[in-house]
Amino acid sequence: MNKKNDGAMNPYLAGGLSGLVIIFSALLTGNYFGASTSFVRSAGMLENFVSPGRAAQIDYFIHYIPKFDWQLMFVVGIFLGSLAAALATGSFKWQAVPDMWAGRFGASPVKRGIAAFFAGIVAMFGARLANGCPSGHGLSGAVQLAISGFIALTCFFVGGIVVARLLYSGGHK
Amino acid sequence: MNSQLFYGLITGAFFGFFLQRSRVVRYDKQIGALRFMDMTILKFMLSSIVVGMVGIYFLRDLGLVQLRFVPTTIAMNVLGGLIFGAGWGVLGYCPGTQGGALGEVRLDALWGILGMTLGAGLYAEFYPAITKNLAGVGDYGFITLPQVLGVNPWLVIAGFVAGALLLFRWLEKKRL
């Protein structure tokens, strides 16, 4: 399935170039990749918006102050960079249900939306419990040879492989 | 916009560009890897780790960068990692790549982003109880693999690079 060439960049090259971005980021600005903390800050900002001053009463938001920081802009930048790449190469794909999902669970955007929403809750709860996501632990942790990074990265894949297997077992592709 | 915010935006834009160009942002690629059908994301991740590792430790030897990573707290790393993985196996997007998926108009990523924001708020509610009960279990602090093994970091890096190259060769042979 991955053999048909749809104009994608070689993953080794794209990954290697991303590695250079990691290096330059650490060298020039002292920042390592991460993403999940941004969702904490966003959640805190939303809570403050709904009920002003609320975040200041919650320990976690005292630890991670709800404001825009390097990482939150990094996450916004990923959106913009992907948008630019999709525009530049005409590889937009206006789609509410991924192909593989549709092949197994049907083309209902509601069903996919509900699953994605609840899976998002679970994934982020886990990422914060683990103290990082595939960016923070998987990339930043591993490039620094941090034990926490290797443990979390392994567990991400173990959990993911088990669940993907359960979801797709017995089904057609 | 202060300079740190600007740097964040630019750094993210480069990363997002490469994520989209190599299709790593897509559900089919992420779940494809978890089902051992298409290892694109593993190739991408390991390539960036290999390059990043060599560069970061080289610059660290020159005193130009400082390491900054999170402590090892086994119970939380393992439990959180498995829970994240379970959610990831359904969602098919990561916190970082999800914005990139939205960038090429995968609309289901929006639901993931909303869910993740709620999940972060939910974690904040449980944070005091969790740290009280779990943070101390297997708390080894800021440790790295070469520290634990008691060897020079370059030995570990050499081993990692060799292992990754062998894995890449095998993946290409198996046409994954």
Side-chain angles (χ1 to χ4, degrees), chain A residues 14-27 29-38 70-72 74-75 78 128 131-144, chain B residues 7-19 44-45 48-49 52 56 68-70 96-97:
Chain A
L17 289 171
S18 297
L20 288 180
V21 180
I22 293 175
I23 296 168
F24 277 107
S25 177
L27 176 65
T29 78
N31 289 296
Y32 288 94
F33 288 15
S36 59
T37 310
S38 300
W70 180 91
Q71 195 200 84
L72 192 44
F74 171 74
V75 173
I78 292 173
R128 289 326 306 156
N131 213 347
C133 61
S135 296
H137 271 313
L139 296 181
S140 300
V143 300
Q144 299 179 70
Chain B
Y7 290 139
L9 193 69
I10 296 296
T11 311
F14 273 105
F15 189 43
F17 185 88
F18 295 129
L19 285 171
F44 180 99
M45 279 186 95
S48 51
I49 292 172
I56 294 293
R68 233 177 70 204
F69 53 88
V70 300
T97 66

Side-chain angles (χ1 to χ4, degrees), chain A residues 5-69:
Chain A
N5 189 352
D6 63 345
M9 194 180 210
N10 180 309
Y12 298 116
L13 177 63
L17 289 171
S18 297
L20 288 180
V21 180
I22 293 175
I23 296 168
F24 277 107
S25 177
L27 176 65
L28 300 177
T29 78
N31 289 296
Y32 288 94
F33 288 15
S36 59
T37 310
S38 300
F39 288 85
V40 176
R41 296 190 202 274
S42 305
M45 283 191 269
L46 274 176
E47 291 188 26
N48 270 343
F49 180 74
V50 173
S51 163
R54 179 179 152 76
Q57 294 162 2
I58 297 174
D59 279 359
Y60 206 49
F61 295 127
I62 295 168
H63 202 65
Y64 298 108
I65 297 163
K67 65 173 173 70
F68 278 87
D69 70 338

Side-chain angles (χ1 to χ4, degrees), chain A residues 126-127 129-139 141-142 146-160, chain B residues 45 70-74 76-85 88:
Chain A
L129 181 58
N131 213 347
C133 61
S135 296
H137 271 313
L139 296 181
I147 296 285
S148 52
F150 291 119
I151 292 177
L153 185 56
T154 307
C155 292
F156 294 158
F157 273 91
V158 169
Chain B
M45 279 186 95
V70 300
T72 297
T73 48
I74 306 265
M76 290 173 75
N77 294 153
V78 170
L79 207 63
L82 293 173
I83 294 173
F84 172 84
W88 179 34

Side-chain angles (χ1 to χ4, degrees), chain A residues 1-3 6-12 14-23 25-27 29-33 35-36 39-40 42-43 46-47 54 58-61 63 68-70 73-86 89 91-96 98-101 112-113 115-117 119-131 133-135 137-139 141-148 150-153 155-161 163-165 167-168 173, chain B residues 1 4-5 7-9 11-23 26-29 31-32 34-38 40-45 47-49 51-53 55-57 59 64-72 74 76-91 93-96 98-100 102-108 111-128 130 134 143-146 148 153 156-157 160 168 172 175-176:
Chain A
M1 62 175 292
N2 56 331
K3 290 305 151 223
D6 63 345
M9 194 180 210
N10 180 309
Y12 298 116
L17 289 171
S18 297
L20 288 180
V21 180
I22 293 175
I23 296 168
S25 177
L27 176 65
T29 78
N31 289 296
Y32 288 94
F33 288 15
S36 59
F39 288 85
V40 176
S42 305
L46 274 176
E47 291 188 26
R54 179 179 152 76
I58 297 174
D59 279 359
Y60 206 49
F61 295 127
H63 202 65
F68 278 87
D69 70 338
W70 180 91
M73 295 308 286
F74 171 74
V75 173
V76 174
I78 292 173
F79 165 77
L80 294 175
S82 172
L83 179 68
T89 59
S91 50
F92 259 136
K93 188 131 189 209
W94 196 276
Q95 191 186 53
D99 297 335
M100 191 188 278
W101 176 280
R112 168 61 185 157
F117 179 71
I121 296 176
V122 173
M124 185 50 62
F125 193 93
R128 289 326 306 156
L129 181 58
N131 213 347
C133 61
S135 296
H137 271 313
L139 296 181
V143 300
Q144 299 179 70
L145 305 175
I147 296 285
S148 52
F150 291 119
I151 292 177
L153 185 56
C155 292
F156 294 158
F157 273 91
V158 169
I161 287 165
V163 168
R165 173 146 300 192
L167 281 182
Y168 283 90
K173 287 178 184 175
Chain B
M1 187 157 46
Q4 281 293 325
L5 296 185
Y7 290 139
L9 193 69
T11 311
F14 273 105
F15 189 43
F17 185 88
F18 295 129
L19 285 171
Q20 196 279 338
R21 289 292 293 114
S22 55
R23 312 300 187 229
R26 294 183 185 170
Y27 172 96
D28 286 14
K29 293 291 182 191
I31 301 300
L34 296 179
R35 297 176 66 200
F36 301 101
M37 293 163 64
D38 176 347
T40 301
I41 69 159
L42 189 69
K43 295 174 189 174
F44 180 99
M45 279 186 95
S47 301
S48 51
I49 292 172
V51 171
M53 193 179 263
I56 294 293
Y57 269 85
L59 293 173
L64 294 174
V65 301
Q66 280 186 322
L67 299 187
R68 233 177 70 204
F69 53 88
V70 300
T72 297
I74 306 265
M76 290 173 75
N77 294 153
V78 170
L79 207 63
L82 293 173
I83 294 173
F84 172 84
W88 179 34
V90 177
L91 180 57
Y93 301 122
C94 301
Q98 197 163 224
L102 191 62
E104 55 164 36
V105 228
R106 308 285 168 158
L107 294 171
D108 54 330
W111 294 109
I113 291 170
L114 287 175
M116 283 195 185
T117 310
L118 184 62
L122 208 61
Y123 184 77
E125 300 297 322
F126 288 96
Y127 172 71
I130 287 169
L134 282 180
I143 49 169
T144 64
L145 192 53
V148 170
V156 176
I157 293 171
F160 191 93
F168 292 161
E172 292 309 313
R175 306 188 134 263
L176 284 167

